[in-house]
Amino acid sequence: MNEKDENTKIWAVNGSATESQENEDFASTTTVEMDRDRLPGEIPITLRAYFEILRSDGKNEIIDLGDRERVIGRSPRCDIYLSSESVSRQHARLTFRSEEYFIEDLNSTNGLYVNGIKIEKCVLRNNDQIEIGRVKILFHEEKTLQKR
């Protein structure tokens, strides 16, 4: 048997065992033991995320998000300023962590909605519709592979 563990078997890609086969259930597997040094490593990806604030006059505003924390609200001191009485002074917080964007309500008066569902905190996905007061925002996320 294998010196690592008596239950470990090494299988060829075509499904035949390279060591003695004790159980017929293993005959159809395609699992192969690999040396970690042969793995390709990380895949380089470029990420661009932005909000598209939908305006009633059709002149939508684009805000690139980057990877730093941002506070969204009616206060001019907020990172993302929304001029609407239905928006709380500090309405929501946007954070970027583990390659994902999170949005959370900061105890706002009118709540935070993502795709029509009232949330306290959630992960954002491409084309999610966010409602902060009466302001509608589309979240866009573009991931592209970089050339090596």
Side-chain angles (χ1 to χ4, degrees):
M1 282 290 142
N2 192 323
E3 59 195 43
K4 293 179 187 173
D5 181 298
E6 68 183 36
N7 295 323
T8 301
K9 299 211 184 282
I10 301 172
W11 301 91
V13 175
N14 67 5
S16 61
T18 58
E19 294 186 20
S20 65
Q21 191 170 340
E22 296 177 7
N23 187 337
E24 292 297 320
D25 292 338
F26 290 110
S28 63
T29 187
T30 57
T31 303
V32 178
E33 186 175 319
M34 291 183 63
D35 180 12
R36 289 189 66 86
D37 294 333
R38 293 182 56 205
L39 296 176
E42 292 186 23
I43 299 171
I45 295 177
T46 301
L47 173 66
R48 179 182 181 231
Y50 59 95
F51 279 163
E52 181 179 2
I53 300 173
L54 306 177
R55 305 278 185 205
S56 57
D57 62 4
K59 296 178 182 177
N60 297 346
E61 181 182 352
I62 303 294
I63 298 175
D64 283 307
L65 300 177
D67 59 1
R68 67 179 180 89
E69 182 178 290
R70 294 175 175 257
V71 175
I72 306 164
R74 189 180 76 232
S75 170
R77 287 182 264 146
C78 287
D79 301 301
I80 299 175
Y81 171 68
L82 301 175
S83 176
S84 173
E85 289 299 316
S86 63
V87 176
S88 294
R89 285 183 183 88
Q90 291 190 340
H91 201 108
R93 177 181 297 121
L94 181 75
T95 55
F96 181 74
R97 189 180 52 215
S98 301
E99 302 298 317
E100 294 186 307
Y101 285 90
F102 294 82
I103 193 164
E104 68 178 302
D105 188 15
L106 296 177
N107 297 315
S108 64
T109 302
N110 292 316
L112 175 63
Y113 293 81
V114 175
N115 299 324
I117 299 169
K118 187 174 183 175
I119 60 101
E120 290 181 22
K121 184 176 185 176
C122 76
V123 176
L124 292 175
R125 300 289 182 228
N126 189 36
N127 293 321
D128 277 350
Q129 183 175 334
I130 303 162
E131 294 175 54
I132 297 178
R134 287 189 222 116
V135 178
K136 293 190 187 311
I137 302 170
L138 289 178
F139 172 75
H140 297 283
E141 186 175 47
E142 300 169 354
K143 294 182 181 181
T144 54
L145 292 176
Q146 292 178 345
K147 293 182 181 179
R148 290 184 185 237

